[in-house]
Amino acid sequence: MNTGVNTLDSTFSYHWKSEVLLTAEISLMKKILVPVDFSEHSEYALQVASQIAKQHDAGIIILHMLGLSEFVQANSEEEEEKEAKYYMNLAKEKIMDFTDKEYLADIPVEAIIQNYKIFDEVDEVAKEHHCDLVVMGSHGASGLSHLFVGSNTEKVVRTSEVPVLVIKQPHKDFKIKKIAFACDLQTENTAAYEKVMAFAKLFSAKLETVYVNTSGANYMGYADIEKKIANFTKALGEDVPIRVYNHHSVEKGIFNFCLEHKIDLLAITTHGKKGLAHFFSGSTAENVSNHAKIPVLTLKV
């Protein structure tokens, strides 16, 4: 393992390469970014990323955001530099320890430590290193809205142009056979649909697109829903089956659908600065933690 430290205000990184090189086979999944904080949930994400990497001959980039400004309390510049080096070396040791896992064998791995906790930098790192996917752990436990809103995961999801796969629990055998794409049928979501379809093809998974029709003031009649579906498929340029699921809550409706149809992965869109909160406006964020244990793929539109 080769290690090296740049200047204190830049990125520290080390690289580890196994002797098994990537094959020349063309794949849509070549690099996976995994932000870690050394918690058990970030290890869940790393385990899943390793399984995806092995399935698709991809490499992994591990990102730890140190946030030295939170730790360095020194008065003089010399003391500050000494303290910064201490925390950087400590983080290096933790990263090396964290990646000393059997399940990472034969996977090309790169680890990067960033000095500050600016969450939109995750997207910058992902794009700079041409990552196809971000895999991130979350400990959210109160439904989909609480899974993200206000958390570090939500901050990454909100700013990431790269799809983010959120993992809540360990998956010893990560397989995706059925994907549900929860969609409000706005034409701006056609690009997200195409990304989810590409993801489904990559895993040879079946894709179900679902629209939750809520009761009350937001209820839509059959003719209006048919019109929305027609506009969506026209913008998409192809006819795709859309399932309409009636429920009083968007969130609970999504997870009931996933449970009833034995969905392995839920895909959902997020709208930049609005995050995911917009998706649940007018609905009750009920406790659906048992359902929310399935992985969630978020795509920014």
Side-chain angles (χ1 to χ4, degrees):
M1 185 180 294
N2 296 322
T3 62
V5 180
N6 298 323
T7 59
L8 287 175
D9 59 352
S10 63
T11 300
F12 157 80
S13 66
Y14 75 80
H15 304 265
W16 172 82
K17 296 286 184 181
S18 70
E19 294 184 4
V20 178
L21 300 178
L22 290 176
T23 67
E25 181 182 353
I26 296 175
S27 170
L28 294 176
M29 192 70 61
K30 286 299 183 185
K31 286 187 181 180
I32 303 167
L33 180 67
V34 186
V36 303
D37 59 3
F38 309 121
S39 67
E40 62 177 353
H41 291 89
S42 59
E43 182 163 6
Y44 298 161
L46 185 58
Q47 286 177 318
V48 167
S50 71
Q51 293 179 60
I52 296 173
K54 286 181 179 179
Q55 291 169 21
H56 302 285
D57 290 327
I60 291 177
I61 297 177
I62 296 169
L63 172 65
H64 176 60
M65 304 179 77
L66 181 60
L68 286 180
S69 58
E70 298 178 9
F71 300 111
V72 177
Q73 305 286 333
N75 295 321
S76 70
E77 188 175 329
E78 184 179 349
E79 288 177 342
E80 184 176 314
E81 184 176 348
K82 185 183 294 185
E83 204 167 339
K85 283 183 178 179
Y86 168 77
Y87 284 113
M88 290 293 277
N89 287 332
L90 187 63
K92 184 179 92 170
E93 290 175 8
K94 283 187 176 182
I95 280 280
M96 294 174 72
D97 218 33
F98 195 74
T99 56
D100 186 20
K101 302 290 192 299
E102 187 176 341
Y103 58 75
L104 289 175
D106 301 334
I107 299 174
V109 175
E110 175 184 353
I112 299 172
I113 297 175
Q114 294 279 26
N115 283 357
Y116 301 104
K117 288 187 176 180
I118 304 174
F119 290 94
D120 56 6
E121 286 188 3
V122 173
D123 185 52
E124 291 176 12
V125 172
K127 288 189 288 190
E128 180 184 347
H129 291 268
H130 307 289
C131 294
D132 306 290
L133 181 69
V134 176
V135 182
M136 193 166 184
S138 174
H139 54 74
S142 301
L144 188 59
S145 56
H146 289 178
L147 171 62
F148 297 113
V149 177
S151 69
N152 291 340
T153 305
E154 192 268 346
K155 293 171 186 175
V156 173
V157 164
R158 182 183 298 174
T159 56
S160 181
E161 300 285 347
V162 178
V164 180
L165 176 61
V166 181
I167 303 296
K168 282 191 62 181
Q169 62 179 6
H171 295 267
K172 291 184 179 179
D173 187 17
F174 185 74
K175 291 182 179 178
I176 301 173
K177 295 180 179 179
K178 294 183 74 174
I179 299 174
F181 177 43
C183 181
D184 58 9
L185 299 181
Q186 296 296 321
T187 55
E188 64 184 0
N189 289 317
T190 55
Y193 172 86
E194 290 171 349
K195 288 180 181 179
V196 176
M197 176 56 78
F199 195 85
K201 288 179 178 178
L202 185 65
F203 287 87
S204 300
K206 181 181 179 182
L207 177 62
E208 300 271 12
T209 302
V210 58
Y211 171 77
V212 178
N213 188 27
T214 56
S215 56
N218 295 319
Y219 177 80
M220 295 186 68
Y222 179 79
D224 290 330
I225 292 177
E226 284 290 295
K227 186 177 180 180
K228 283 180 74 77
I229 292 174
N231 289 337
F232 183 77
T233 55
K234 181 180 179 181
L236 192 59
E238 63 176 303
D239 288 328
V240 297
I242 309 289
R243 289 181 176 266
V244 179
Y245 193 88
N246 295 305
H247 204 278
H248 66 274
S249 156
V250 173
E251 182 179 21
K252 191 68 177 288
I254 289 171
F255 286 118
N256 278 4
F257 178 87
C258 290
L259 184 65
E260 290 174 15
H261 292 83
K262 298 181 180 179
I263 299 298
D264 302 304
L265 174 74
L266 170 64
I268 196 167
T269 58
T270 177
H271 293 243
K273 292 181 179 179
K274 295 180 182 178
L276 288 168
H278 79 284
F279 200 89
F280 304 105
S281 58
S283 67
T284 303
E286 298 165 87
N287 189 336
V288 290
S289 58
N290 287 336
H291 301 179
K293 287 180 181 179
I294 65 171
V296 179
L297 180 72
T298 68
L299 305 103
K300 186 178 176 182
V301 296

